[in-house]
Amino acid sequence: MPGSLKTEAIVLRSIRYGEADRVLHLYTPTRGRLGAIAKGVRRARSRFGARLEPFLHVHLVLHESRGELHTVTGADTVAGHAGLREHAATLDAAARACDAVARLFETTEPHPEVFHLLANELELLNGGPGHATPANGLAFRLKLLLAAGILPQLSTCAGCGETEHLSGFSAAAGGVVCGSCEAVAFPLSEESYRFLVSAIGSPLAQAPAASALALRQAERAICETSEHHAHVRLRPLLRTALSESGG
Ligand SMILES: [Zn+2]
């Protein structure tokens, strides 16, 4: 029903459109992912052009339309995250975080916890490059899998319920697997297993440290889970960071 909608939002993407407009991909706490058009914002005298850049946390007033795109009629900044733009690493990590949210949560189904998780991640990255690590990026993705209801089983073998010798990971089976259920699995080291368990149990700001190999296995577990259970391919996080160290 058309009307006026006031909402908090994080700008996931902002795409130039026409001569002076932008099309925004937004993530909101109560309306999930929304699209909106901001008219005339690329003109120098626009009232709120600078408030609609990617990664900004804003209060918006939207004129609802029956179609795909609502129209932005008001915008106020909650958090500008200017610090994000000072380092290539934080800018890249923020872009990948927004991309992962956009891919895993592409409907208007509300997931307020995803909104708060993303706001928290952007705030952390805004604080400096110290959090722009692969461990942080993977911990963020694991928490997204939890919100999407597809967190892999980590406590017991997903094949047979065995609690010991959990030495493999199988997205098809639904999580970690034991030695006897390993046929369709890839090897998961003890360290990688501990990383997954600890990352999901810790605040984002305290993502556990792990070796490059353990992080690579953790990323494979996260990517294969997302592909198998949500049919979503996440952008690789580690390929660039780890290729220099022989991976
Ligand atoms: Zn088993």
Side-chain angles (χ1 to χ4, degrees):
M1 209 180 298
S4 190
L5 166 68
K6 289 184 182 176
T7 181
E8 268 185 89
I10 289 169
V11 181
L12 301 176
R13 290 184 70 193
S14 171
I15 301 158
R16 288 169 185 226
Y17 184 78
E19 285 202 356
D21 304 344
R22 282 186 178 277
V23 168
L24 308 173
H25 294 200
L26 303 169
Y27 201 78
T28 68
T30 57
R31 304 284 287 259
R33 194 171 149 190
L34 293 181
I37 186 157
K39 292 184 177 156
V41 288
R42 282 161 49 216
R43 296 205 173 95
R45 291 171 60 202
S46 164
R47 283 174 297 134
F48 45 66
R51 292 172 212 155
L52 299 172
E53 299 288 321
F55 319 133
L56 259 70
H57 180 173
V58 286
H59 270 298
L60 292 180
V61 183
L62 301 174
H63 181 73
E64 290 189 86
S65 96
R66 286 194 178 84
E68 292 267 296
L69 293 177
H70 306 304
T71 304
V72 179
T73 56
D76 276 310
T77 308
V78 176
H81 297 141
L84 271 181
R85 292 161 209 282
E86 290 172 18
H87 307 276
T90 49
L91 201 55
D92 185 61
R96 284 166 196 273
C98 286
D99 185 71
V101 168
R103 289 183 194 216
L104 277 167
F105 300 91
E106 59 177 1
T107 71
T108 53
E109 188 186 329
H111 285 280
E113 72 282 20
V114 171
F115 177 85
H116 294 299
L117 185 64
L118 180 59
N120 183 9
E121 172 75 345
L122 295 176
E123 200 59 53
L124 274 180
L125 294 171
N126 187 53
H131 286 292
T133 60
N136 168 270
L138 293 174
F140 178 74
R141 282 160 177 68
L142 265 181
K143 289 171 190 290
L144 290 183
L145 297 187
L146 176 65
I150 56 170
L151 183 71
Q153 179 170 331
L154 296 173
S155 53
T156 59
C157 172
C160 70
E162 174 66 67
T163 55
E164 307 274 314
H165 314 295
L166 302 171
S167 53
F169 187 94
S170 163
V176 293
V177 292
C178 73
S180 339
C181 295
E182 240 178 12
V184 293
F186 66 84
L188 189 78
S189 66
E190 173 80 28
E191 188 194 2
S192 190
Y193 175 75
R194 282 201 311 270
F195 173 83
L196 289 170
V197 170
S198 172
I200 196 64
S202 310
L204 262 184
Q206 289 152 31
S211 70
L213 176 66
L215 291 173
R216 208 154 50 230
Q217 290 178 344
E219 170 158 60
R220 185 170 171 191
I222 290 166
C223 284
E224 291 187 7
T225 296
S226 169
E227 281 185 38
H228 192 90
H229 296 285
H231 309 291
V232 167
R233 183 164 293 205
L234 295 171
R235 268 166 70 188
L237 192 66
L238 298 182
R239 190 180 289 158
T240 331
L242 295 182
S243 56
E244 290 149 26
S245 54

